[in-house]
Amino acid sequence: MQKKLHIKVGDTVKVLSGEARGREGKILAIDKKNDRATVEGLKMIKRHTKPSASNPQGGIEEKEGTIHISNLMVVANGEATRVGRKLNDAGKLVRYSKKSGEEIK
């Protein structure tokens, strides 16, 4: 059975704790097994790469690290909010903002 998460790829999220606290970014990828998400432009890490056919120069690459999903909160209409689930008019389960009550797309 798959886990139901409060975030999805493409959501804008706010970081609640850690080095990037208070900053916002867009979710690029989610690792459901480890409950971690990659957020665009946050928690940058450096990787030393050996020269290869695709990257003949090698060198140091900078890319986004992962953040635990418990430290992320969805941003809807410009403000961070908790997320709930309810049935819409069509009978489909959708996420909604607990602050405003509006559906999260």
Side-chain angles (χ1 to χ4, degrees), residues 43-49 59-65:
K43 196 161 180 197
M44 300 304 284
I45 57 174
K46 293 180 189 229
R47 284 280 176 251
H48 295 72
T49 56
I60 301 171
E61 287 181 3
E62 207 169 328
K63 65 177 192 173
E64 290 93 356

Side-chain angles (χ1 to χ4, degrees), residues 60-74:
I60 301 171
E61 287 181 3
E62 207 169 328
K63 65 177 192 173
E64 290 93 356
T66 59
I67 300 172
H68 198 271
I69 61 168
S70 66
N71 297 328
L72 301 174
M73 189 176 251
V74 175

Side-chain angles (χ1 to χ4, degrees), residues 18-86:
E19 193 178 293
R21 179 185 16 234
R23 293 171 58 195
E24 292 183 8
K26 192 171 137 185
I27 301 259
L28 299 176
I30 296 177
D31 179 7
K32 287 189 178 185
K33 183 179 178 190
N34 296 318
D35 290 335
R36 299 183 77 80
T38 305
V39 182
E40 186 177 36
L42 299 182
K43 196 161 180 197
M44 300 304 284
I45 57 174
K46 293 180 189 229
R47 284 280 176 251
H48 295 72
T49 56
K50 289 171 71 173
S52 65
S54 61
N55 185 8
Q57 186 66 31
I60 301 171
E61 287 181 3
E62 207 169 328
K63 65 177 192 173
E64 290 93 356
T66 59
I67 300 172
H68 198 271
I69 61 168
S70 66
N71 297 328
L72 301 174
M73 189 176 251
V74 175
V75 174
N77 298 333
E79 59 182 352
T81 179
R82 288 185 296 158
V83 175
R85 290 185 185 84
K86 66 180 178 182

Side-chain angles (χ1 to χ4, degrees), residues 9-10 39 55 86 89 103 105:
V9 173
V39 182
N55 185 8
K86 66 180 178 182
D89 299 332
E103 238 180 72
K105 303 272 189 265

